[in-house]
Amino acid sequence: MKSANVLVSTSGTLTMEPEGNNRLLQDVLARPDNETCADCGNPEPDWASLTLGVFVCQACSLLHRGIPHISRVKSIQGAWEASDVELLADLGNNVAKAKYEQNVPAFYYRPTHTDCKMLREQWIRAKYERNEFEFIEKQEPYTAGYREGFLWKRGRDNGQFLSRRFILSEREGALKYFNKQDARDPKAVMKIETLNATFQPAKIGNPCGLQITYLKDNSTRNIFVYHSDPKEMVDWFNAIRAARFHYLQVAFPGASNEELVPKLTRNFMKEGFMEKTGPKDAYARGEVFIGSKENSYTVQPGLPSTIQGYHWNHGITIVTPDRKFLFACETEAEQRDWIAAFQRVMNRPMRPQEYAVEAHFKHKP
Ligand SMILES: [Zn+2]
């Protein structure tokens, strides 16, 4: 319920002013540190935790409700007590960050409002419930450089999930999994160098579903895994990021954390089906490097006049400095969405590391 002073002037106009405490709360909320959600960075948070002293967005406030012994949330539209407003004035997002995010490792994934609920919830629990980042002495399992355990892995043929032993070893530079508990030879060795991991709960059909992508014999492979304990799964995810971080620090000496962190894992901007079309020599590896327009990468609707889509009619031509790649989409809307996604990538300048990736693609058939 909104609490307000109602003023009626002699001319008959009606004005509503928030009452004293709520007006003070608005002042606290207007502070730069409180302009975005303390947990996901969403602008204009409209909830606050009375126990933690932070402002959060509505989506995060729902996750705070899941830890009532730690956090008690209230809408900023409610009627506020003076003591609660004072607490938020004394604390606020910056003070809380200094306490709860004191020792977040550089590689640790900080979710945004676009990430899946499980990832956002675990970030909130890691900070406020498990106090994972408050003490330097506390060694979290994902920092160790070695991790071993069981994950449910989707079978290639029947789509059934089977328990498989996984080992991540920075020393060996690889993530491996084994088909049988006693098997000595791994079923797959995924090099940390080529590894990507991204949560795909809807696609995998599990809130903790993780898609792991790697290169084998120059082609992209995917495996789909989950752990029934969300904390375990997020620990695996961050262990993979830690291993990638340490690998990249060696591969690109002198690069700053700000340059390396975006390279640890990538979320897919858009995923879906396009038909590969065009000449037969088509790229075997299943990946196309997309650089910036400043480096002569462009995308245009349609296909060269000599080429037709095999089944689908809505063509897309991607022009790279080396050659053209031709795709076709089923619908015009899909074609538009894909072109927009490619353009978002091409509008960004390439980072120094991306020149190395580009060269890697050019030198492979
Ligand atoms: Zn939020």
Side-chain angles (χ1 to χ4, degrees):
M1 211 177 70
K2 192 163 186 159
S3 158
N5 260 353
V6 181
L7 310 169
V8 183
S9 77
T10 47
S11 63
T13 52
L14 189 140
T15 315
M16 286 196 285
E17 275 187 349
E19 239 171 310
N21 293 335
N22 282 62
R23 203 162 49 223
L24 290 172
L25 184 68
Q26 290 298 332
D27 293 342
V28 180
L29 192 56
R31 273 179 8 203
D33 62 319
N34 298 331
E35 277 175 352
T36 56
C37 171
D39 297 326
C40 76
N42 223 4
E44 294 177 26
D46 46 6
W47 286 74
S49 170
L50 301 184
T51 45
L52 301 169
V54 291
F55 291 95
V56 295
C57 70
Q58 199 200 358
C60 291
S61 80
L62 293 172
L63 302 173
H64 278 248
R65 283 174 192 273
I67 45 169
H69 51 295
I70 308 281
S71 184
R72 196 156 55 84
V73 287
K74 184 179 173 107
S75 162
I76 58 166
Q77 306 288 346
W80 281 70
E81 301 290 329
S83 57
D84 290 335
V85 178
E86 270 167 41
L87 177 109
L88 276 151
D90 286 347
L91 298 174
N93 290 2
N94 265 359
V95 171
K97 198 183 183 102
K99 174 177 158 69
Y100 298 106
E101 298 180 26
Q102 208 177 129
N103 296 298
V104 182
F107 61 79
Y108 195 92
Y109 188 78
R110 294 162 176 266
T112 69
H113 67 281
T114 59
D115 280 301
C116 68
K117 178 173 167 243
M118 187 278 301
L119 203 46
R120 289 183 291 115
E121 179 176 2
Q122 287 305 309
W123 168 235
I124 285 168
R125 287 182 183 267
K127 281 205 284 184
Y128 308 121
E129 189 183 39
R130 300 195 290 265
N131 305 97
E132 275 181 37
F133 315 116
E134 273 184 62
F135 311 102
I136 291 176
E137 314 86 69
K138 231 177 142 190
Q139 254 272 350
E140 292 300 328
Y142 42 76
T143 61
Y146 182 88
R147 190 178 175 87
E148 184 174 348
F150 286 88
L151 294 172
W152 293 99
K153 182 192 163 291
R154 189 158 85 188
R156 206 177 285 275
D157 304 323
N158 56 9
Q160 231 177 19
F161 281 88
L162 298 164
S163 180
R164 295 290 181 240
R165 189 162 63 98
F166 281 75
I167 293 177
L168 175 70
S169 166
E170 283 189 18
R171 197 173 50 76
E172 292 177 47
L175 172 68
K176 303 183 285 188
Y177 79 87
F178 300 81
N179 257 358
K180 296 197 182 75
Q181 292 200 21
D182 57 352
R184 299 185 59 160
D185 295 324
K187 180 79 173 98
V189 178
M190 299 162 255
K191 282 192 179 153
I192 286 170
E193 182 188 348
T194 73
L195 216 51
N196 187 47
T198 179
F199 283 101
Q200 297 274 37
K203 179 176 174 181
I204 297 172
N206 185 284
C208 299
L210 187 73
Q211 177 170 358
I212 297 175
T213 306
Y214 63 104
L215 281 183
K216 193 189 174 201
D217 306 327
N218 281 335
S219 69
T220 304
R221 306 287 176 97
N222 288 292
I223 60 166
F224 302 95
V225 297
Y226 73 88
H227 194 289
S228 52
D229 179 347
K231 179 191 184 296
E232 282 289 317
M233 198 64 252
V234 176
D235 281 355
W236 269 105
F237 178 60
N238 280 303
I240 289 170
R241 288 177 58 89
R244 295 260 313 144
F245 186 57
H246 299 141
Y247 161 76
L248 289 170
Q249 281 179 318
V250 175
F252 302 103
S256 67
N257 286 358
E258 287 69 35
E259 286 177 288
L260 298 182
V261 166
K263 305 274 159 226
L264 300 184
T265 54
R266 309 179 308 271
N267 295 327
F268 299 126
M269 211 179 229
K270 174 163 174 59
E271 188 182 30
F273 293 101
M274 288 196 295
E275 184 182 82
K276 288 193 284 188
T277 183
K280 257 230 159 127
D281 68 328
Y283 38 103
R285 66 182 287 152
E287 281 190 312
V288 180
F289 177 81
I290 310 280
S292 122
K293 62 180 177 194
E294 290 155 26
N295 300 74
S296 313
Y297 288 83
T298 57
V299 57
Q300 42 204 243
L303 300 172
S305 56
T306 52
I307 309 270
Q308 273 208 323
Y310 182 49
H311 290 112
W312 293 347
N313 295 322
H314 304 278
I316 293 179
T317 302
I318 293 175
V319 183
T320 78
D322 288 338
R323 54 167 295 168
K324 288 178 178 173
F325 294 95
L326 311 176
F327 297 95
C329 305
E330 193 173 13
T331 65
E332 207 178 324
E334 273 291 297
Q335 179 196 38
R336 208 170 35 237
D337 283 358
W338 276 108
I339 289 176
F342 288 129
Q343 273 165 347
R344 280 202 295 279
V345 179
M346 289 170 180
N347 285 337
R348 291 194 301 228
M350 277 163 64
R351 295 158 187 266
Q353 286 77 20
E354 279 164 343
Y355 286 94
V357 177
E358 183 190 36
H360 178 75
F361 270 78
K362 277 183 178 166
H363 290 130
K364 296 225 167 114

